[in-house]
Structures are given as structure tokens and as C-alpha cells.
Amino acid sequence: MIIPQADPRDETTLTLRLADAAATMGLGRELAPLLKPGCVVWLEGDLGAGKTTLVRALLRAQGHEGPVKSPTYTLVEVYVVSKIYWYHFDFYRFNEAEEFEEAGLGEYFRDDAICLVEWPGKALPYVPEADLSLAFHFASRAEAGDDARIVELRPHSEVGRQCLKALSSRRGDAS
Ligand SMILES: Nc1ncnc2c1ncn2[C@@H]1O[C@H](COP(=O)(O)OP(=O)(O)O)[C@@H](O)[C@H]1O
Ligand SMILES: [Mg+2]
């Protein structure tokens, strides 16, 4: 179960506790239908925090049945699901942000594509700004084996705000 928590720092931030990988998959299922073409989502957080797991859930929810591999080495994985282009990026291995420009990756950020970006900070200032960002944290580093994660969802555009509003009201409707 995902428990919404009030965030005193920013009333537009939605903070969720994800008890295990299944909860993260559940969030992906809820979020997937709310993402529209043209949407850019940044996924932040340390290695193993759950970024790729969330992407896998988004694609599965939209009907993609094949594997969802981490694009750590390929930089981008391409999926066409229900006639929508989904591009999954991972810039972890960038030595310098200019690699974004050298690889011509800006061309992927089109109005007919949904772009999901892991390690966006490594491609600044070239990577397009997010409509929505998800920052994953390990809930308790002290307890080894604890699967819980905290994720903070923040809107950065009107598109992102609408998306979070819909997610919040759905969650409200469901309870
Ligand atoms: N609450 C959780 N949310 C997401 N992944 C979790 C969770 N608990 C355990 N895991 C596990 O942690 C790993 C996360 O890996 P991954 O999604 O590839 O991380 P990242 O892309 O952030 O490096 C997976 O093996 C997943 O099964
Ligand atoms: Mg990853």
C-alpha cells in the first residue's frame, strides 16, 4: 500500500512511501495513463533506488510485454506502445554533459514522445526541463534489507501540475 504523506516544504509536492517493489510498480500503473505525448519526466535518486523499476511499470501498464532494460550503456531505449513513442534515457555513464549534444539526443524530445530520463543532472544544461520529476530515496539506509523507498513527485509545468492533480484525485477517489 502507498501512504500519501504531507510535505511541509511544498504543497505541490506529492510524497509517497513505497513499501516494496510491488508498490513502485503500482505507482507506475497509476501514473502511466496520465502521461501525455510531449511529457518529460526526470527520475532522480541513487543507484538501486527504483527509477528503472518505475519505468518498467509505466511501459507494462501501457501494454508493453517485452523486456525493459536499463539504458545505462545504450543511453536510450525506444518503445512504441499504443502508437506513442516512449524514450527511456540513462545518463549515468556520461563523463561530461556535452555527450548529450554529441549524440544528438535533443531530437528525441518531441511533441509526440514521452521522455523518461534517469540521471538528468549529468546532462545539464542540455537535457530539456522536466514537466514532472520523481526523486527516489531509500527510506532507511540503516536497516539493511529494507525495501521501502520514499518518492517525491514535483510538477515543473502546467502539464506536470495537471498530471499530479489527476494522480492525487485518483488516489483520493480510490480510498
Ligand atoms: N520499494 C522499491 N521500489 C523499487 N525497487 C525496489 C523497491 N524495493 C526493492 N526494490 C529493488 O531495488 C532494485 C531497484 O533497481 P532499479 O529500479 O534498477 O534502480 P535504479 O534504476 O534507480 O538504479 C530492484 O532490484 C528492485 O526489485
Ligand atoms: Mg536505472
Side-chain angles (χ1 to χ4, degrees):
M1 199 176 88
I2 304 168
I3 306 158
Q5 296 175 344
D7 190 321
R9 288 168 299 170
D10 177 1
E11 63 182 23
T12 65
T13 300
L14 179 63
T15 304
L16 305 173
R17 186 172 193 280
L18 305 163
D20 50 24
T24 302
M25 294 296 284
L27 173 62
R29 276 195 299 277
E30 290 178 25
L31 190 57
L34 306 176
L35 299 180
K36 306 296 177 208
C39 202
V40 176
V41 180
W42 285 9
L43 300 156
E44 302 174 293
D46 284 344
L47 285 176
K51 304 178 295 296
T52 299
T53 300
L54 194 273
V55 170
R56 189 170 293 121
L58 292 171
L59 289 163
R60 289 261 183 279
Q62 295 308 89
H64 173 73
E65 291 174 356
V68 174
K69 295 174 290 178
S70 175
T72 309
Y73 292 94
T74 53
L75 293 184
V76 58
E77 292 287 337
V78 178
Y79 304 88
V80 185
V81 199
S82 305
K83 297 184 184 164
I84 296 174
Y85 289 89
W86 294 69
Y87 297 125
H88 178 200
F89 302 89
D90 186 337
F91 302 136
Y92 179 70
R93 297 207 159 259
F94 271 6
N95 291 314
E96 49 185 30
E98 281 66 29
E99 291 177 49
F100 181 93
E101 293 286 88
E102 286 156 16
L105 296 177
E107 291 178 14
Y108 286 91
F109 291 74
R110 304 187 312 264
D111 287 350
D112 64 343
I114 295 172
C115 289
L116 311 168
V117 186
E118 296 189 39
W119 297 96
K122 294 213 175 212
L124 286 174
Y126 305 107
V127 62
E129 290 293 330
D131 293 292
L132 186 66
S133 64
L134 276 68
F136 289 83
H137 309 275
F138 292 87
S140 66
R141 289 169 188 279
E143 291 174 41
D146 187 348
D147 282 347
R149 309 283 195 266
I150 304 294
V151 63
E152 295 169 318
L153 298 94
R154 282 196 186 84
H156 304 281
S157 70
E158 191 49 37
V159 165
R161 268 184 287 281
Q162 291 303 327
C163 185
L164 264 199
K165 204 171 136 190
L167 183 69
S168 300
S169 69
R170 274 187 179 211
R171 302 178 63 82
D173 293 348
S175 62

